[in-house]
Amino acid sequence: MRGRLKIPPTKSALLALKRQVAFLEQGHAMLERKRELLTRLVYERLDQYRRLRAEVRSSLAESYEWLGMAHMRMGSQMLRQAALGLKPALALTILPRSSIGVEYPAVEVRTLPLQPVGLMWTDASFDEARRRLAQLAALLARFGEAETALWRLLAEQRKTQKRVNALKYNVIPRYRATIRYIQSALEEEERNTLFQIKVLREAGSG
């Protein structure tokens, strides 16, 4: 019979295979449950990813609009001079996080008060552009977390799906086919033994 394991048809082998099949079926059920949970998390993260992506696009357009206005009013040289020595506008912390065994970085980000610029010729659009760009950077950090988590969850979900399919369509059927083969072989052996006993009894009684 094709698709079965190469194991001698003995009672001990049959018992061992039955125990192994029970273990494999339990593992399959656990992996199936993990796959369902991962799929749910993927859809949740996908919704978050799409929402943040739309927010990033909107914030990016607004930020560059204000930056363009500041550039037009102040010029490139003044913008560079005004930006010299400015402190970071964000406080960023990256921590490890895990969901169903999938690790990804969790980003904690907050915008800091804008540092005043003591130059007489700065325009109000400069501060507004700085504020918008700081908000955009914070949004991009959250978007990066969402994207990283989504792709890692997707990769784990696909890997789990492959394992589920391998157990369901390959490994467990081969074990069951082997069990059926051994049971059939043992039954045939038992029939032959009973037939031989019957023949011996008939010969002895004759």
Side-chain angles (χ1 to χ4, degrees):
M1 181 184 295
R2 295 181 61 184
R4 61 178 175 82
L5 303 171
K6 294 182 179 179
I7 295 177
T10 63
K11 290 184 178 180
S12 61
L14 180 63
L15 291 174
L17 284 172
K18 286 182 176 180
R19 287 194 298 268
Q20 290 169 3
V21 163
F23 177 76
L24 289 171
E25 289 175 341
Q26 184 181 8
H28 174 266
M30 292 175 64
L31 282 173
E32 185 67 36
R33 176 61 177 162
K34 179 181 179 180
R35 185 195 63 80
E36 292 173 358
L37 292 173
L38 284 168
T39 301
R40 186 184 308 168
L41 281 175
V42 163
Y43 279 110
E44 290 175 1
R45 283 287 180 173
L46 185 59
D47 289 340
Q48 181 190 28
Y49 170 81
R50 287 172 174 167
R51 176 178 54 80
L52 286 171
R53 184 176 60 182
E55 291 181 21
V56 164
R57 285 178 176 174
S58 175
S59 179
L60 189 64
E62 293 173 358
S63 298
Y64 273 90
E65 183 178 349
W66 279 100
L67 183 61
M69 191 181 303
H71 185 271
M72 182 180 63
R73 293 179 179 178
M74 295 173 57
S76 299
Q77 185 175 355
M78 287 185 180
L79 277 176
R80 284 195 295 268
Q81 289 179 2
L84 286 175
L86 289 179
K87 295 179 180 179
L90 297 177
L92 187 67
T93 305
I94 300 177
L95 300 171
R97 184 173 293 178
S98 176
S99 294
I100 318 179
V102 181
E103 295 185 355
Y104 56 90
V107 180
E108 294 180 2
V109 59
R110 60 187 178 90
T111 55
L112 302 175
L114 291 180
Q115 178 184 348
V117 179
L119 296 175
M120 296 293 293
W121 34 260
T122 55
D123 188 83
S125 60
F126 176 64
D127 286 337
E128 184 62 23
R130 291 171 60 202
R131 187 178 69 83
R132 298 271 184 163
L133 287 169
Q135 291 174 350
L136 172 63
L139 193 58
L140 283 169
R142 289 165 50 209
F143 179 66
E145 175 196 333
E147 185 176 44
T148 301
L150 174 61
W151 292 122
R152 290 188 182 180
L153 286 168
L154 266 173
E156 186 66 22
Q157 193 265 353
R158 288 168 181 163
K159 185 166 63 175
T160 303
Q161 182 67 63
K162 287 182 180 179
R163 291 174 177 172
V164 167
N165 289 343
L167 284 172
K168 183 177 181 180
Y169 297 111
N170 185 16
V171 178
I172 293 177
R174 289 184 68 197
Y175 273 77
R176 287 176 176 167
T178 307
I179 288 173
R180 289 193 297 271
Y181 165 75
I182 292 178
Q183 286 175 332
S184 177
L186 290 175
E187 289 171 0
E188 180 66 24
E189 183 181 347
E190 185 177 357
R191 283 193 295 269
N192 289 336
T193 301
L194 291 174
F195 177 76
Q196 291 174 5
I197 292 174
K198 182 180 178 181
V199 170
L200 290 173
R201 284 179 179 175
E202 289 177 353
S205 61

